Amino acid sequence: MSIEDIEAPGDPFNFARHLIERNAGRSEKTAFIDDYGSLSYGELAERIRRVAAGLRHLGLRREERVLLLMQDCADWPVSFLGAMYAGVVPVAVNTLLTADDYAYMLEHSRSQAVLVSGSLLPTLNAAMTRSDHEVQKVVVSHPEAPLHPSEMAFESFLELRPPARHPAPTCGDDPGFWLYSSGSTGRPKGTVHTHANPYWTAELYGTRLLGVREDDTCFSAAKLFFAYGLGNGLSFPLSVGATVVLLGGRPTPEAVFQRWVEHKPTIFFGAPTGYAGMLASPDLPPREQVALRLASSAGEALPAELGQRFTEKYGVEIIDGIGSTEMLHIFLSNVPGKVRYGTTGWPVPGYEVELRGDDGNPVPDGEPGDLYIKGPSAATMYWNNRTKTRDTFQGGWTKSGDKYVRNTDGTYTYSGRSDDMLKVSGIYVSPFEVEATLIQHPAVLEAAVIGKQDADGLVKTKAFIVLKEVDKADPDALREELKTFVKERLAPYKYPRFMEFVDELPKTATGKIQRFRLRQREQDSAA
């Protein structure tokens, strides 16, 4: 299957209208189940049109931005798609950031209005007091306290005007929405995606590779503001008429298990950190209490041991892949029925990948190279950041910032971020390879590896390790045991010369380990 086999979006093309029309015959079917109740496809379509009418009533014009700061609930997709229906650009932001972060995003995006969850309203108000940018209106989903005159309850907002009769006549290349980069390598960047981009990810990955079907119930631990979660919990299931389970709070093992058992999702979307926590939990439900037929993983490469243990427990595969905010979803992936645990699989049909060396030329199989991707879902730019845009979006290619190795069977194995790779004794060492080996030890829950200079100024590996049972560990004995454990499984030069046991690892809100924070910590302690 190639991209030529898929009908391209026509002109005009509005992604919200596209989803409404695809589900015109499913008005009674449940689209979303959240912490407050459920929403049918018919109700979803009407509320999308009401949001569009409300935004127009507030005076928002095409391509102006509206900040979407909302916990996962049915109001999130209603707001996101309602803005797109109106030709307004929703800027979906991480719900776990600080007031200073939101002040920056308000000014950077120049958002004219904010759609916010009641639980996040105090943080938003603090952000607005720190920003010189003036917001015209704040609409509050599920308010938790009396509202200020400048604020409006979401349900009242829906009643401002009758549902919009017609969508904005956007085309596939028009700005559709923004996502901010996760911040795993520094300051978040406003990544601009088009109306056509989620169409392509749903067609190429959700429908044709994962095989999401109308009779599926999808549940994503990754939140909707995350590019991975946006596909899992919105564009993929709504493109085929499936049902979505949304979780407003943190996806703790207990919260995930509750929804597995109560709502019986057939497809679960998670991340390696989450799978590790669930498999370590004493409350992990037995196979007969769940209805999973497929699981997905992204965010970081999935260690083979985690995938194998999950499959042994539930009899279903975890389809590990890599995507990015810049490409919107997964472009390199394992395939259902053809999983190679320990690898990230093959290029998703419709995408091309290349591994390039420091000189910009392709590298041979077996050698690490910088991963570049070409495909129809690439973002157009980073807003107001020409330098970073030019560095990342190079002609038809997108520079991922990841290093990979291509194996002889055509699969690709993750070798870490380009700025995380280490050279030990003149040889590249992948932090992920050492981490994946460490977590095979029964005492280790999580691990992160960085480079640390020894007394001679030479780079050696240092591991930060989270243990499963801290109180039962003899630190000195365990350090030596873990060093031997790695030496027995990897080339001797790869074992971590330094180890530090920590309570937790620094991560982004989407679960990615922030190794740059660990490196900064080492630099500060050495100063």
Side-chain angles (χ1 to χ4, degrees):
M1 189 270 295
S2 68
I3 196 169
E4 286 75 21
D5 300 322
I6 300 174
E7 182 180 356
D11 190 11
F13 179 80
N14 182 291
F15 184 65
R17 176 183 182 177
H18 165 73
L19 293 182
I20 290 173
E21 291 179 346
R22 279 210 168 181
N23 295 293
R26 302 185 179 100
S27 61
E28 300 302 317
K29 185 180 179 184
T30 299
F32 289 98
I33 301 169
D34 65 10
D35 297 342
Y36 304 97
S38 62
L39 191 72
S40 71
Y41 270 99
E43 293 168 328
L44 174 65
E46 178 173 345
R47 289 167 78 88
I48 287 170
R49 291 186 171 112
R50 285 187 175 276
V51 166
L55 292 173
R56 289 170 178 170
H57 178 76
L58 295 180
L60 270 80
R61 297 169 296 181
R62 282 183 59 177
E63 298 188 21
E64 288 187 323
R65 272 77 64 193
V66 55
L67 200 77
L68 178 52
L69 174 58
M70 199 177 287
Q71 307 285 7
D72 279 18
C73 66
D75 289 349
W76 200 108
V78 165
S79 300
F80 183 84
L81 294 172
M84 293 184 76
Y85 195 87
V88 174
V89 178
V91 179
V93 298
N94 184 329
T95 58
L96 299 176
L97 302 179
T98 66
D100 286 338
D101 293 319
Y102 299 132
Y104 164 75
M105 291 173 177
L106 284 169
E107 293 180 354
H108 183 250
S109 67
R110 305 168 196 159
S111 291
Q112 298 300 300
V114 181
L115 299 165
V116 61
S117 288
S119 60
L120 297 168
L121 183 57
T123 307
L124 173 67
N125 284 331
M128 290 193 295
T129 63
R130 302 176 194 186
S131 169
D132 293 330
H133 176 71
E134 185 176 349
V135 172
Q136 301 300 317
K137 199 71 175 180
V138 174
V139 179
V140 185
S141 168
H142 301 289
E144 297 184 347
L147 299 179
H148 187 272
S150 63
E151 301 162 351
M152 178 181 293
F154 192 79
E155 295 302 319
S156 299
F157 173 68
L158 294 180
E159 298 301 322
L160 280 177
R161 302 287 294 172
R165 294 180 59 188
H166 303 291
T170 53
C171 68
D173 287 340
D174 272 334
F177 58 95
W178 291 17
L179 299 173
Y180 275 93
S181 63
S182 65
S184 59
T185 57
R187 189 83 176 188
K189 299 177 287 293
T191 311
V192 181
H193 280 283
T194 69
H195 274 263
N197 285 2
Y199 168 87
W200 285 116
T201 59
E203 291 294 321
L204 293 172
Y205 193 71
T207 301
R208 284 167 168 76
L209 191 141
L210 284 186
V212 181
R213 309 185 305 239
E214 182 180 3
D215 61 350
D216 276 318
T217 297
C218 299
F219 173 38
S220 176
K223 298 299 185 179
L224 289 165
F225 66 76
F226 182 29
Y228 177 49
L230 182 64
N232 308 340
L234 194 153
S235 56
F236 293 2
L238 297 192
S239 291
V240 296
T243 296
V244 182
V245 176
L246 296 175
L247 166 63
R250 292 179 57 243
T252 62
E254 295 74 23
V256 170
F257 299 157
Q258 178 186 344
R259 284 153 184 82
W260 279 5
V261 172
E262 181 178 349
H263 298 300
K264 304 292 184 185
T266 55
I267 304 180
F268 175 70
F269 300 87
T273 298
Y275 284 110
M278 290 187 292
L279 288 169
S281 171
D283 300 320
L284 189 67
R287 183 185 296 194
E288 58 270 17
Q289 289 187 11
V290 305
L292 296 175
R293 72 172 184 85
L294 192 67
S296 168
S297 180
E300 288 198 298
L302 179 76
E305 185 258 352
L306 285 180
Q308 290 160 358
R309 284 172 54 202
F310 191 88
T311 298
E312 289 169 4
K313 175 69 177 180
Y314 290 111
V316 300
E317 300 169 319
I318 298 181
I319 310 303
D320 183 36
I322 181 175
S324 67
T325 304
E326 291 77 10
M327 295 302 296
L328 189 56
H329 213 275
I330 290 171
F331 47 78
L332 186 64
S333 177
N334 278 271
V335 178
K338 188 182 177 183
V339 170
R340 302 287 189 272
Y341 283 134
T343 80
T344 315
W346 299 264
V348 172
Y351 293 88
E352 298 176 50
V353 302
E354 281 189 3
L355 299 183
R356 301 178 186 175
D358 293 340
D359 58 2
N361 294 319
V363 299
D365 288 358
E367 292 189 14
D370 293 310
L371 178 66
Y372 287 74
I373 315 101
K374 180 186 289 186
S377 62
T380 60
M381 66 173 139
Y382 298 127
W383 180 261
N384 228 2
N385 196 332
R386 191 176 187 186
T387 300
K388 287 288 187 181
T389 295
R390 283 182 162 182
D391 182 58
T392 299
F393 304 103
Q394 302 180 9
W397 294 92
T398 300
K399 179 182 178 182
S400 72
D402 295 292
K403 281 191 180 287
Y404 264 84
V405 171
R406 187 179 186 273
N407 305 309
T408 54
D409 64 354
T411 60
Y412 288 74
T413 300
Y414 183 61
S415 292
R417 291 286 299 175
S418 298
D419 52 4
D420 287 336
M421 289 292 288
L422 309 173
K423 262 196 173 180
V424 178
S425 301
I427 306 171
Y428 272 119
V429 174
S430 162
F432 179 79
E433 184 181 26
V434 182
E435 292 163 6
T437 302
L438 282 166
I439 68 167
Q440 294 176 33
H441 191 281
V444 177
L445 178 63
E446 292 181 304
V449 172
I450 64 168
K452 174 183 171 68
Q453 287 190 346
D454 63 11
D456 296 322
L458 300 174
V459 174
K460 298 293 187 290
T461 48
K462 176 172 181 177
F464 293 84
I465 297 171
V466 179
L467 299 175
K468 292 179 181 176
E469 297 182 61
V470 178
D471 295 338
K472 296 182 180 181
D474 178 345
D476 292 335
L478 186 55
R479 282 190 185 91
E480 295 307 311
E481 182 180 334
L482 289 171
K483 289 179 181 180
T484 301
F485 185 83
V486 175
K487 285 180 183 178
E488 291 173 348
R489 288 159 176 79
L490 298 178
Y493 67 87
K494 296 183 179 181
Y495 85 92
R497 269 59 164 191
F498 310 100
M499 286 189 183
E500 182 176 340
F501 299 120
V502 295
D503 293 331
E504 61 182 1
L505 298 174
K507 297 172 185 172
T508 69
T510 54
K512 294 183 181 180
I513 295 171
Q514 294 176 309
R515 294 178 185 84
F516 77 95
R517 293 195 181 279
L518 296 173
R519 289 194 293 270
Q520 185 62 52
R521 174 176 159 180
E522 285 297 305
Q523 292 172 6
D524 292 344
S525 64

